[in-house]
Amino acid sequence: MVAKPIAAARSPRRLAEPLAKPGVIALLKLISPLYLHGLLGFRSVELRHAERLVEAYRAFFSGEARLIVAFRHPYGDEAQLMAYVIGRLLAREAAARGVRYPRAPHAHFVHGYEVPLWGGPFERWLLPRVGAVPVHHTLLDRRSIERIRALMRDGAFPLALAPEGQVSYTSEGLPRLEPGAARICAWCGEDLAAAGRTERVVILPLSVHHRWDSASEPDLDRLIGRIEEKCGIIPGGAASEGRAAGDGAVGNVVRFRRLNAIADAVLECAERHYARFCGLVPPQPGKAARSARLAALREAALDSAERALRLAPEGDTIARVYRIRHACWDRIFRADIPDMKALPDLERSLADRAAGEAWYASRHMELVDLAYYLDFDRLKESDPLSLFVETAQNYWDLVSRLEGGNISDRVSLRGRDAEVIVGEPLDAGKILAASGPGRKEAVARLSARLEKAYLNCIQEFQEERHHG
């Protein structure tokens, strides 16, 4: 589970200039069902309110609107899922409604600049050739902004992005949204007005949810057992008790106890480590709520990474995560060294040492990257099996991060069904204009409307599950 430490400085990995190539896009559409079902383990994908997505693309292709497809990012594989939805399901839904597009549907996906750093050669080859655009979270990267503004204003396809900014690890809550999507809409409105153009600017929210059924219970119990083994906990026997009773609800009651014991064990182990080596002072030992203890642990981890990198703590928790991540990648992938091979031995050794220190500092960041979104008290005994799976996957990930892993070590149980709920489209131009002349206030208002749209989608999913 532990990621292999990085102990050597490297030259930067640069992507080609984003340029969508029809042949590569066609290849992506061809392989996406095999990838989705064969590698990611999805059984089916349901697109609810597909007519909203069909109409949004119709308006885009007809020149009536500029469009952002804004998808939630709770599990980690939403970009791949969205590529399948837009590239395969959308065309099928449009044809069923008698809608013809002038070209096959696609989107310019916006991704973090760090993806090609930890991704493999195939990702670095594919991303620019399907028109994907990198963006920095911590830098005012003029080049990236210019690319995004140009695509939003004149691109042959809509933009697709996750307004949460990164994986949020929770499907039925909305921990935070970043202002990027609303800000892009504001830029687009300004650019269109300056050019005398009258297209609408639209954000279309999509909420992603996974379902698992009773066929996944044995795999879930095995995963819980593996986590217990990692934590030194004697297995609680949920599999045998649940199956013996012949009642999935009984099994969940036992799983609830086991997952709670895991939460306590992991938190206590992490507290001992950070108290001994990183200066953590746990709040009210033995009395504080788990949420307060987890918050103190996150702060100790951030402080440890920032001290190692000589960074001042600026911004909220996720802003600090972004700054730490950026600083670590900069020390590993040395853009300031033109030729790594030309370095004298001593300088190369020191560069390698800085890279190794950055890798270890980033272990603290990777912990907070997940732990920020965790709530040890969110799961209830009466929750559906899917939320038990989500919780177990997150707890496995938490143990992995403490052992030195990262998001690449996440476990996703196979045999899941995806439900993508297309929310009500938002006329960003009208919302921004109604907010008055101040851009900051207008962007905040549009972000709040987007948040409400997502919450409506989540409520719809929960109500359907309750009545279904």
Side-chain angles (χ1 to χ4, degrees):
M1 187 187 299
V2 182
K4 185 177 180 180
I6 293 174
R10 304 173 183 182
S11 298
R13 291 172 175 169
R14 304 190 187 280
L15 292 176
E17 190 68 18
L19 182 62
K21 295 183 179 296
V24 179
I25 294 173
L27 173 64
L28 178 65
K29 292 178 181 179
L30 179 66
I31 67 174
S32 64
L34 297 175
Y35 183 84
L36 201 74
H37 299 300
L39 292 180
L40 296 183
F42 285 98
R43 295 186 305 189
S44 67
V45 180
E46 179 185 354
L47 185 59
R48 299 194 63 191
H49 307 303
E51 70 280 359
R52 294 170 179 169
L53 185 58
V54 170
E55 169 57 22
Y57 264 78
R58 186 209 63 77
F60 177 87
F61 282 136
S62 69
E64 299 171 25
R66 307 304 296 174
L67 175 64
I68 290 181
V69 178
F71 57 90
R72 286 213 52 221
H73 203 9
Y75 300 103
D77 45 26
E78 283 71 34
Q80 299 94 313
L81 182 61
M82 287 301 108
Y84 174 78
V85 167
I86 294 171
R88 302 283 296 211
L89 295 190
L90 174 56
R92 188 184 309 163
E93 294 289 345
R97 290 165 172 78
V99 176
R100 293 189 176 184
Y101 298 136
R103 64 186 72 92
H106 183 59
H108 293 284
F109 283 81
V110 178
H111 64 86
Y113 87 101
E114 71 278 0
V115 171
L117 300 182
W118 55 259
F122 180 71
E123 287 88 346
R124 290 193 289 276
W125 176 85
L126 179 68
L127 288 173
R129 289 167 177 81
V130 295
V133 187
V135 67
H136 284 77
H137 289 290
T138 59
L139 294 178
L140 188 62
D141 182 0
R142 187 173 300 277
R143 191 174 183 185
S144 292
I145 291 173
E146 289 174 350
R147 282 197 198 109
I148 289 172
R149 289 185 76 148
L151 287 171
M152 188 64 192
R153 182 186 65 242
D154 297 316
F157 301 105
L159 286 183
L161 54 80
E164 288 161 304
Q166 60 174 15
V167 182
S168 61
Y169 305 100
T170 175
S171 63
E172 299 191 19
L174 192 63
R176 65 188 293 277
L177 290 182
E178 295 186 355
R183 191 173 290 136
I184 291 170
C185 288
W187 290 338
C188 186
E190 294 168 2
D191 292 343
L192 294 176
R197 292 164 55 178
T198 59
E199 298 103 308
R200 293 178 292 118
V201 180
V202 176
I203 295 184
L204 188 66
L206 278 71
S207 188
V208 179
H209 303 273
H210 294 175
R211 293 181 185 273
W212 287 266
D213 59 26
S214 58
S216 297
E217 290 190 53
D219 287 338
L220 171 59
D221 291 327
R222 279 190 288 271
L223 177 60
I224 294 174
R226 292 171 67 192
I227 305 170
E228 288 171 329
E229 183 180 357
K230 287 283 185 182
C231 297
I233 299 173
I234 297 174
S240 58
E241 288 188 46
R243 283 201 295 270
D247 187 344
V250 173
N252 276 354
V253 169
V254 180
R255 294 182 189 107
F256 179 78
R257 293 203 302 265
R258 297 176 73 187
L259 288 168
N260 268 289
I262 287 170
D264 288 331
V266 175
L267 188 54
E268 289 167 7
C269 184
E271 282 179 328
R272 287 195 298 271
H273 173 82
Y274 274 89
R276 181 176 181 183
F277 298 108
C278 303
L280 168 68
V281 180
Q284 295 181 309
K287 297 181 180 179
R290 289 190 293 196
S291 59
R293 294 165 63 193
L294 186 61
L297 181 64
R298 292 195 301 261
E299 183 60 32
L302 286 172
D303 180 67
S304 297
E306 288 166 340
R307 282 189 285 108
L309 299 166
R310 299 187 67 185
L311 295 175
E314 297 178 6
D316 63 13
T317 296
I318 297 301
R320 293 166 72 184
V321 165
Y322 287 158
R323 291 182 69 238
I324 292 166
R325 183 182 294 155
H326 185 80
C328 290
W329 286 126
D330 276 356
R331 296 187 188 200
I332 294 170
F333 292 94
R334 296 294 295 272
D336 59 320
I337 300 176
D339 185 0
M340 296 293 295
K341 295 180 181 179
L343 286 179
D345 288 348
L346 176 57
E347 289 192 32
R348 177 58 196 251
S349 295
L350 290 173
D352 291 345
R353 193 171 90 179
E357 290 169 349
W359 186 87
Y360 279 102
S362 70
R363 299 310 94 198
H364 301 294
M365 175 275 295
E366 293 287 358
L367 170 62
V368 180
D369 172 68
L370 169 70
Y372 172 84
Y373 298 97
L374 292 185
D375 179 354
F376 286 135
D377 301 311
R378 179 183 293 133
L379 186 69
K380 309 302 179 191
E381 285 188 15
S382 58
D383 278 340
L385 181 69
S386 294
L387 289 183
F388 278 81
V389 173
E390 182 177 304
T391 300
Q393 290 177 165
N394 284 341
Y395 287 3
W396 171 269
D397 198 358
L398 180 62
V399 172
S400 168
R401 304 293 176 103
L402 286 165
E403 288 191 330
N406 55 38
I407 194 170
S408 299
D409 302 302
R410 279 184 67 79
V411 168
S412 293
L413 296 191
R414 299 175 65 83
R416 51 191 164 149
D417 300 305
E419 184 167 322
V420 180
I421 301 177
V422 184
E424 292 279 359
L426 302 178
D427 190 325
K430 286 185 178 180
I431 296 170
L432 290 166
S435 304
R439 179 194 282 179
K440 184 175 181 180
E441 293 77 12
V443 166
R445 181 179 177 83
L446 180 54
S447 292
R449 288 287 298 274
L450 180 60
E451 178 179 3
K452 181 64 166 59
Y454 283 136
L455 293 175
N456 288 341
C457 291
I458 293 171
Q459 182 179 2
E460 178 180 339
F461 175 77
Q462 293 172 329
E463 289 177 352
E464 182 227 2
R465 182 181 63 205
H466 178 71
H467 296 294

